[in-house]
Amino acid sequence: MHDDRSITEHRLRRVLKERVKPAVHSRAIPLTVERWEAPGEPVPVAEGLAASYGPCAVGDPWGPAWGTTWFKVTGTVPADWAGRTVEAVLDLGFDRMMPGFQCEGLVHRADGGEIKALNPYNDWVRVADRAEGGEQVEWYVEAASNPVLVDHAVTYEGDLPTSGDQPLYRLARMELTVFETQVWELVQDLEVLYDLMVQLDTADARRYEILRAVGAALDALDLGDVPGTAPAARAALAGVLAAPANASAHRVSAVGHAHIDSAWLWPLRETVRKVSRTASNMVNLMDDHPEFVFAMSQAQQLDWIKTYRPELFERIKKKIADGQFVPVGGMWVESDTNMVGGEAMARQFLYGKKFFLDEFGIETQNVWLPDSFGYTAAMPQIVKLSGSKWFLTQKISWSQINRFPHHTFWWEGIDGTRVFTHFPPVDTYNCDLGGAQLAHAARNYREKGHGSRSLAPFGWGDGGGGPTREHLARARRQRDLEGSPKVRIERPDAFFEKAHAEYQDAPVWAGELYLELHRGTYTSQAKTKQGNRRSESLLREAELWAATAAVRIAGYAYPYEDLERIWKTVLLHQFHDILPGSSIAWVHREARETYAALGEELRAVTLAAQQALAGQGGEELVFNCAPHARRGVPAGGAGRPVAPREPVTVEERHGGGHVLANGRLLVQIDGRGLIVSVYDLEARRESVAPGAAANLLQIHPDFPNMWDAWDVDAFYRNRVTDLVELDRLEVTEGGPRAATVRVTRSFGRSEAVQQITLRAGAKTVDIVTDVDWHETEKFLKAAFPLDVKAERTATETQFGHVHRATHTNTSWEAAKFEICAHRWIHAEEPGWGVALLNDSTYGHDVTRDVRADGGQTTTVRLSLLRAPRYPDPETDQGSHTLRFSLAPGAGIGDAVREGHALNLPERVVRGAGPVAPLVAVDEDAVVVEAVKLAEDRSGDVIVRLYESRGGRARATLSADFPVAAAVESDLLERPLPGTAVGVATPEGLVPLTLRPFQIVTLRLRRP
């Protein structure tokens, strides 16, 4: 037989595009349109409805960047449309290829009630299922003219003060139409069959069965009367659509979803509107499709709806009760997981799950994080302690080099906890349920022969409107269709239950889920990262001292509401496009302002509690909120400062520079202002590699292949400029408590001023770097070449640390050329090591070299600043203060202690006398992470602690207040069966036994 396949396929594409789809909406008549431009920021709905509207017509330009235009549309359904289905088509000027990244609208009734949202694939509004004729239409469209910022070009449209005022859009279509149901159904039939057909092998008989049926349908279709002949065309397709799928066909659990970044190429205030638009469409779709299930993560987004759209929130609550609208994730936002601190990660789950429980009575079981840029190895234990048991991710499919070997697996964390995890093989969290994506999921699925099912989140994201009626039509047709996976719309937990039941012995992946992409997010937007770190530290202080005051002082009010509000604000800014530095300028400008305000508020909370505890008096008291004692001040307590031991000396160095000494370290700074020696006098070991210099600032070109703010590509290392030219070198403090050498360098259009300090009794060299940064597409590093043969480094992560190889034996190690660490990174050889500490830097890299003398140099570098131009063309421009320290002779325990000390400064308050710590632990390996009062306002004290060194630990926690009982709890402060906690003694002593990196949350009940 002659092969006419390509002719029929081409015929189908043209007829579908030019005749069938345009016939879905017929007999169109124009609506009357008026407009009003809202001045400045969005206005309340009542104000928009009451505004004075002026004339407007289709084709008119509208909407400057970030503006809001209100359109009033009115019309009357013609009498001769009686009995027909009538819809309005309201096209604001959409680009059909960019759902979620352009203008959007929300349609209101004249009384202010929401009807639905308008998006590129959802530009219709139903007027009547069976019109009577004469129906009046009066609607108000709140239209957002968000600029299109997705082309990765340098633009200043990403902030309100620098954006243009010219209209960005042109009103395209405002009409009443007849909705031709049979034509719409024919479109769905033809699209599903075409998408399936082209995925089948050309030797597959099923492909030709579909081809012949399509040809017959097109023959039955009169292109001059598509609505009248659509039923006959559909009849020709009925047979191929009824053929059942193979028994072994892959099973897809389709979950409606709309991935909405809580900020990214739009500010937070626009996300508030995006989630309302999407959610309104979802509840409307549920009204018409009882089989539809929609999953929404991020408690913050639902809280926004509750606050700003209470009517919509009540509709959502009903759909949740009906089982159609499904909260997932259990976190306040879909946060970054690389840089979020341990306690903050715990609070993501505390406040996220608590919101779902309080508002809906739902205990979420799965953690939904499809788009974060890699996943910490601490996560499995945190997931389990939150009361959840499933984990879903997607982003690992973006890795550049190595293909992840599993789609369904057990993920094992640093403490040994495992969580059942799924990584959808459809490779997108915006699935369209089209034949190409479903076929890819079936082919790509790595668990064949063991498992048979995968999950596919479907729907347009980021304000693109979520799932549509077209998605549901595809799901219905492919529920049991020959040649296709079997598609079933169902809740995420139903998928996980089935996947776990069929594959309980799934393979294990131990350690972090490192994303081999977006490594620049550890560094971009340094002030956002610094604001996060400092906010986490300030919250620790505020809770500790407020709890101590509330327990010790009768009538002292613990600021529950203020602390919860501040925590939620910090958690919001840990969203995976804010903290990583990958949002527009508007987002980061607001973040800096927010962090500054929160800092003032938290310092006030802390000072008020400390002054109340210190009482009236003139004695100088040092408050230490770090988990280890220092300067004679107990951990989490206040005491008198102790004089340092041996004084610090500073001398001229032969050949130029200076020598600092304190009896523990001997530090040499050469005439270039570089550290050429840090000698450990106690161990008689040199820290700096021979012939090398530490604290060497280096500049690299930084122009990745794509994703400017997100990525650094390995080739950046091919060119480096060492900053050795010196402007000034001077001693600014000469002992005996401390000696400081200040180094000033100019480079490019920038300047760096570094203060290198050695303090009395210290085993660290402290460096404060002030940078006035005005480079473009450059990467600033600080290098520390160490005389250490390290096979691996330890880097702090939440509640512990992870080890990473320093070699590049395999592509997996080579891909980790940029890594994330929290407060410290540690390199050692047996018996001796060095820690590099920081106060707000996350990006690092580690390389190793063998020298001519046969020794090995391990170079650890801090990634200080970047200067990408997209999406914020002014990223990191301006002044920065960055602190880091070198700790020679440090073990892991020293790194933990010094890392906390650097990040938790002492506070000096005058008062009557020392303040005893509220709780204490007698084992340094056990770190107290948080002390607070219980969320239920019972007055119970919550203490969260963990084993920090990766070994087993026995410890006793002592409470300096009456304790009726000590109860091990989960992250939501509910009783948790366990073995770590012994019985509290009458003296308030609680014996503990912890496994490596175990997290324990204690509820200390007060009598």
Side-chain angles (χ1 to χ4, degrees), residues 6 88 93 96 114 119 148-149 283 326 345 413 479 498 568 582 603 621 627 644 662 700 912 924 935-936 947 971 978:
S6 62
R96 304 291 168 179
E114 296 173 357
N119 305 285
V148 175
L149 302 174
V283 293
V326 184
M345 188 64 76
R479 182 180 177 90
K498 295 171 185 175
K568 288 177 177 178
S582 47
R603 280 186 282 269
L621 304 178
N662 68 353
H700 295 272
D924 270 1
E935 294 292 317
D936 62 8
E947 195 290 315
L971 298 183

Side-chain angles (χ1 to χ4, degrees), residues 626-630 664 763 824 837 891-902 924 927 949:
H628 305 92
R630 57 181 171 183
R664 305 188 75 189
K763 196 74 182 288
W824 53 266
L837 319 157
I892 293 292
D894 300 307
V896 173
R897 182 181 62 254
E898 297 295 347
H900 279 101
L902 179 61
D924 270 1
V927 169
R949 301 182 187 176

Side-chain angles (χ1 to χ4, degrees), residues 219-410:
D219 290 341
L221 194 65
D222 181 351
L223 299 186
D225 183 17
V226 173
T229 56
R234 294 196 69 208
L237 301 174
V240 290
L241 284 168
N246 296 331
S248 60
H250 185 66
R251 292 166 171 81
V252 172
S253 295
V255 178
H257 183 51
H259 175 79
I260 303 178
D261 288 311
S262 288
W264 179 26
L265 302 180
W266 47 85
L268 288 167
R269 65 89 155 147
E270 192 57 31
T271 314
V272 174
R273 301 202 293 178
K274 282 178 177 283
V275 297
S276 295
R277 296 179 196 122
T278 298
S280 69
N281 277 4
M282 296 306 95
V283 293
N284 282 339
L285 202 57
M286 290 170 190
D287 287 341
D288 297 331
H289 299 273
E291 80 282 7
F292 175 46
V293 170
F294 177 75
M296 186 170 179
S297 66
Q298 306 193 67
Q300 170 69 87
Q301 295 187 359
L302 284 161
D303 192 44
W304 279 331
I305 296 173
K306 178 185 177 184
T307 302
Y308 297 103
R309 307 285 187 181
E311 177 189 352
L312 175 59
F313 188 73
E314 291 304 313
R315 295 177 67 195
I316 289 172
K317 287 182 73 171
K318 183 180 184 305
K319 295 301 183 183
I320 289 174
D322 293 342
Q324 286 186 275
F325 201 114
V326 184
V328 293
M331 298 175 70
W332 190 248
V333 295
E334 289 184 16
S335 76
D336 171 78
T337 80
N338 290 310
M339 294 169 283
V340 172
E343 187 58 28
M345 188 64 76
R347 302 303 175 94
Q348 287 283 354
F349 285 96
L350 167 62
Y351 290 117
K353 295 199 71 165
K354 186 173 182 294
F355 181 87
F356 294 141
L357 282 164
D358 291 348
E359 297 294 338
F360 314 123
I362 288 177
E363 172 95 16
T364 55
Q365 293 296 302
N366 57 73
V367 178
W368 188 277
L369 275 179
D371 190 33
S372 293
F373 309 148
Y375 305 91
T376 171
M379 183 63 81
Q381 183 179 195
I382 297 171
V383 169
K384 185 174 182 180
L385 288 174
S386 76
S388 300
K389 57 184 179 180
W390 321 119
F391 188 87
L392 180 138
T393 177
Q394 180 66 72
K395 199 71 170 189
I396 300 301
S397 66
W398 288 40
S399 284
Q400 289 176 312
I401 299 168
N402 297 287
R403 183 182 179 191
F404 195 75
H406 314 299
H407 283 110
T408 300
F409 58 100
W410 289 98

Side-chain angles (χ1 to χ4, degrees), residues 425-436:
V426 71
D427 284 349
T428 178
Y429 40 80
N430 294 314
C431 178
D432 62 9
L433 295 183

Side-chain angles (χ1 to χ4, degrees), residues 90-105:
L90 307 177
D91 186 343
L92 301 175
F94 297 123
D95 182 331
R96 304 291 168 179
M97 301 306 293
M98 289 192 300
F101 298 96
Q102 55 179 300
C103 59
E104 300 171 26

Side-chain angles (χ1 to χ4, degrees), residues 69 121 134 184 355 367 427 505 522 533 561 660 814 821 825 914 929:
T69 301
Y121 294 110
W184 183 86
F355 181 87
V367 178
D427 284 349
D505 60 344
Y522 311 148
R533 178 80 69 85
E561 292 88 354
L660 314 180
I825 182 169
E929 180 75 2

Side-chain angles (χ1 to χ4, degrees), residues 672-853:
R672 301 169 299 172
L674 302 176
I675 299 174
V676 292
S677 175
V678 181
Y679 191 77
D680 182 347
L681 294 167
E682 295 168 345
R684 294 183 293 178
R685 276 285 306 256
E686 176 58 62
S687 305
V688 181
N695 189 37
L696 173 64
L697 296 179
Q698 297 178 306
I699 289 278
H700 295 272
D702 187 11
F703 192 68
N705 288 342
M706 196 179 173
W707 301 104
D708 290 12
W710 293 258
D711 283 0
V712 290
D713 288 327
F715 53 73
Y716 85 86
R717 292 178 173 176
N718 298 344
R719 184 175 175 184
V720 60
T721 301
D722 294 339
L723 302 182
V724 296
E725 297 299 320
L726 187 66
D727 293 349
R728 288 186 303 280
L729 178 65
E730 54 191 327
V731 175
T732 59
E733 186 176 6
R737 291 181 176 271
T740 299
V741 174
R742 185 165 63 190
V743 183
T744 304
R745 305 182 194 281
S746 299
F747 55 96
R749 296 183 296 126
S750 305
E751 182 183 70
V753 178
Q754 293 192 293
Q755 297 184 74
I756 305 169
T757 300
L758 183 64
R759 304 184 190 282
K763 196 74 182 288
T764 63
V765 181
D766 302 325
I767 301 161
V768 177
T769 302
D770 293 301
V771 185
D772 188 21
W773 179 249
H774 296 286
E775 304 307 300
T776 299
E777 294 169 351
K778 295 290 192 295
F779 198 2
L780 180 64
K781 294 259 189 178
F784 289 81
L786 306 175
D787 192 13
V788 174
K789 184 182 187 301
E791 298 300 315
R792 62 183 188 176
T793 57
T795 57
E796 189 188 34
T797 190
Q798 297 90 348
F799 301 108
H801 58 267
V802 294
H803 288 110
R804 298 185 180 99
T806 60
H807 62 73
T808 55
N809 284 358
T810 73
S811 58
W812 293 90
E813 285 95 17
K816 296 181 181 180
F817 58 81
E818 187 79 8
I819 57 176
C820 183
H822 285 201
R823 288 167 286 218
W824 53 266
I825 182 169
H826 182 261
E828 70 173 350
E829 58 189 49
W832 195 82
V834 180
L836 187 58
L837 319 157
N838 73 83
D839 82 332
S840 58
T841 297
Y842 295 92
H844 296 74
D845 77 277
V846 181
T847 53
R848 55 192 261 176
D849 300 283
V850 176
R851 308 186 298 263
D853 65 0

